[in-house]
Amino acid sequence: AQSVTQLDSQVPVFEEAPVELRCNYSSSVSVYLFWYVQYPNQGLQLLLKYLSGSTLVKGINGFEAEFNKSQTSFHLRKPSVHISDTAEYFCAVSDRGNQGGKLIFGQGTELSVKP
Amino acid sequence: DSGVTQTPKHLITATGQRVTLRCSPRSGDLSVYWYQQSLDQGLQFLIHYYNGEERAKGNILERFSAQQFPDLHSELNLSSLELGDSALYFCASSVQGLAGKTDTQYFGPGTRLTVL
């Protein structure tokens, strides 16, 4: 079984500052890793995903994440945030060998960007 | 707009009642997933259908059931509703959703269910 831990439930940050949202996972098998964003009153939108290859993954809206196998982490970063980045961010894993690719989500991190 | 539609957007009902949530996947997507988002449980996988067949089940209650029709739309049926069933229910679709595949899941806007 897999589990995902997002280490911060809320992250307040000022506009144009860098941000890191932390995610650790636990799994007995190889996994795919994802970050999704949920804007208020909307569904989830994929930011980026790690499948294989380079451990640094670039996504939409200037976000990137780094896969660290030894630390079982997949932290999300952005060098300079905007007010519009205020949203909830979810880290998720899916089992490489699992039939169907269901997503196991972390509890979410609420990013609040202040002017 | 992800291309996944869900109806209704909001649903208010009473305990003991039964409701049906509907999902239309993106054109060409064969897989439909249902997730529940609640304050205490977070985002949880409920069930996955691929081309009309059930593929995987999560912690879905026996009072809940789902199906995927020949036109690939899906319905999630919730019966004998309890206060704790109040949540946001998401549907997601993907092209395949088969073993070892990594196709992206596209989420609908959700149906907010309130049980009074």
Side-chain angles (χ1 to χ4, degrees), chain A residues 3-8 11 18-26 31-36 47-50 54-60 62-79 89-93 109 111:
Chain A
S3 66
V4 178
T5 302
Q6 291 184 241
L7 297 161
D8 306 293
V11 173
V19 71
E20 178 180 80
L21 307 184
R22 297 179 294 167
C23 171
N24 285 94
Y25 69 93
S26 172
V31 295
Y32 300 121
L33 295 152
F34 306 82
W35 275 98
Y36 279 83
L47 275 178
L48 47 80
K49 59 184 177 182
Y50 173 75
S54 172
T55 57
L56 184 62
V57 181
K58 293 191 183 299
I60 63 171
F63 284 93
E64 62 181 33
E66 185 150 22
F67 169 57
N68 187 319
K69 189 174 181 179
S70 62
Q71 297 187 5
T72 59
S73 67
F74 191 54
H75 301 334
L76 181 71
R77 301 186 184 101
K78 186 169 183 179
Y89 292 78
F90 292 92
C91 182
V93 302
T109 297
L111 176 64

Side-chain angles (χ1 to χ4, degrees), chain A residues 32 34 36 38 41-46 49 51 88 90 95-107, chain B residues 33 35 37 40-43 45 48 55-57 88 90 97-105 107-109:
Chain A
Y32 300 121
F34 306 82
Y36 279 83
Q38 184 179 25
N41 300 313
Q42 292 188 29
L44 281 79
Q45 180 183 6
L46 181 69
K49 59 184 177 182
L51 308 179
E88 187 139 25
F90 292 92
D95 178 353
R96 284 178 182 264
N98 181 40
Q99 188 173 28
K102 69 180 183 185
L103 294 170
I104 306 298
F105 287 92
Q107 289 293 90
Chain B
Y33 304 79
Y35 293 87
Q37 185 178 34
D40 52 348
Q41 298 288 331
L43 262 167
F45 166 74
H48 167 217
R55 280 303 179 105
K57 260 185 174 179
L88 195 50
F90 286 111
L98 299 178
K101 296 296 182 182
T102 62
D103 43 308
T104 298
Q105 290 185 30
F107 282 75

